[in-house]
Amino acid sequence: MDQVVDRFIEREHALMKALSSRTPVVETYLQNLSADAQLGPVPSDDHYFLGRMDMGETVDRKDYLKEKDQEKSMQTRLMGGFNKLFKVQYQPLGFSWMVYADRTDFDRAHYDFHYVRREFLGDVRCLVFDVTPKKTAGKGRFLGRVWVEDQEFNIVRLNGTYAPAPRNSYFFHMDSWRLNLIPGYWVPAYIYSEEGDFSAGVKNKTAFKAQTRIWGYDLKKEGGNDELTQIRVDSVKDETATMQDASPLQAERQWQQQAEDNVIERLTRAGLLAPEGDVDHILQTVVNNLEVTNNIDLPRPVRTRVLLTAPLETFSVGNTIVISRGLIDVLPDEASLAAVLSHELAHIVLGHNLGSKFAFNDRMLFSDDSTYNNLGFKHIPEEETAADKKAVDLLNNSPYAQKLDNVGLFLKALQTRASQLNALLTTHLGNPLAQNGTVTRLSALATHGPALDNTKLDQVAALPLGGRVKINPWDDKAEMVKTAPVAITSARDKMPFEVTPFYPRLARWGASTTASPAPATSAANSPTGN
């Protein structure tokens, strides 16, 4: 076991070196908790952070979203995410810091290692070690447990905290998972954090649940590093009548297409949009069902894409409908998915075209962390109202017409939690589903269906976050989670819109991914490298 310890220390430092040039996207979504007599700990409010993380020696990050009054000091931001000097303030880097056990001094001089047992995590057999800092190791050292796979001896999971905490700072507990996305290395992908005790008589100073997801490791850095792979194709002259100058209407549509393509390409390059893949085909099938049954004949096909972020959001640019991973996650059924897609399809059918200014390529020349300052696709209130009305018409003429009660239940569940989930409902590119704590999207359907009743175990109005879509953190590809049904035994099992722990099924790079049992709490299953 001494040789094993030496080996995984060596592999940990090799991982740091291998990832030192990477700048993946890091997203943290946090829900503060309060006690509910029937449902247990439930969200009371929430926070959201999104940025790019430089995994070099400083492990610094740049934020897409700028939090007001955010501390500038790097040292302060490393203190686990909580500053008690003047007010409670969550710092995003605190939740992404546990990508490594110790960035600078993970060695025998600073830590003691105690072998515990062998254990399987998914398909991977692991050796489990308890890790404790030596008394002379200094402040902020890792204290907890690591799981080490038994072939190349890479750490695949870390669970614990940092100790002792410096004065006026507080370190969170974290459970950090890695995935074997490239040969020889297990890459940090998910971090779950939780604080709070809801036992009788306990008073919590802080209680929350938080998910951190890391993706976009293979995003190309800005610049011409790929210039040797660029291909030049000489144009072929075509003199046929059909290839003459476009008519004014054709020119307008081609201009909109150019803007649409520019936006989709730029969002993908920034690590905010998944490459075209299997989930898009599922979304496309739902859109096709709406189009065919409503006899919609558009000059260009409607495309669908997945936004990789957690906030509940949809928007359309040109003829492309974009829907967020978080929204797909919480929708309970296909009818509810059809409802949110129908709103954007209605904008397209009604000719509410946005984004044509992005046909000018200079408008795509901005840094990734300023994406939200440069792109936006929000409609005026009159267009939103018209799209909602048209969407209801589309749904009433579709195969989903008999299942609109489920849509009504989803909207009621969203309304029940809206005032506590402001960050989850804050959109950054499109129009919001709710405003000032009131759900406004498709409000005509909110009266459909039975009353929302948490005591009815067969009434599942909305799902927890992480239950539908999994993202490959290396190449950003999205796919649907394959899960077996899990019996709900109490109202507390429903957890609508809530954060849950991660329990990915670990597998080695290149292994078959056909079997993916459900995670313990509907958290995202792990992509296992293609």
Side-chain angles (χ1 to χ4, degrees), residues 215-261:
W215 70 82
Y217 281 98
D218 205 29
L219 290 174
K220 290 183 173 61
K221 289 192 172 184
E222 300 293 334
N225 295 333
D226 59 345
E227 59 187 2
L228 296 179
T229 65
Q230 294 177 355
I231 299 174
R232 178 179 176 182
V233 179
D234 293 329
S235 59
V236 178
K237 192 173 183 180
D238 192 330
E239 300 290 352
T240 61
T242 58
M243 296 304 295
Q244 298 305 311
D245 292 351
S247 69
L249 180 56
Q250 289 173 325
E252 177 68 16
R253 287 173 176 168
Q254 289 178 15
W255 184 252
Q256 292 168 357
Q257 175 82 61
Q258 181 172 316
E260 177 183 339
D261 291 342

Side-chain angles (χ1 to χ4, degrees), residues 159-174:
N159 180 294
T161 186
Y162 295 95
R167 190 179 179 184
N168 297 323
S169 294
Y170 180 88
F171 286 118
F172 298 139
H173 292 86
M174 300 189 187

Side-chain angles (χ1 to χ4, degrees), residues 365-382:
L365 302 179
F366 50 80
S367 63
D368 289 347
D369 54 302
S370 64
T371 299
Y372 289 149
N373 295 329
N374 287 274
L375 298 180
F377 309 97
K378 294 183 178 178
H379 294 272
I380 61 175
E382 291 79 5

Side-chain angles (χ1 to χ4, degrees), residues 268-336:
T268 304
R269 190 151 44 93
L272 296 176
L273 207 65
E276 188 175 358
D278 293 341
V279 179
D280 300 320
H281 301 154
I282 295 171
L283 301 176
Q284 192 68 57
T285 299
V286 176
V287 171
N288 289 343
N289 290 341
L290 292 168
E291 289 185 286
V292 170
T293 53
N294 283 275
N295 297 316
I296 295 173
D297 186 18
L298 296 169
R300 291 192 293 114
V302 176
R303 301 183 293 181
T304 53
R305 295 294 287 274
V306 178
L307 193 67
L308 294 169
T309 51
L312 312 187
E313 180 166 12
T314 65
F315 64 90
S316 55
V317 51
N319 276 30
T320 297
I321 297 173
V322 178
I323 179 171
S324 69
R325 167 188 55 81
L327 184 52
I328 299 173
D329 276 346
V330 300
L331 293 170
D333 58 11
E334 187 172 322
S336 301

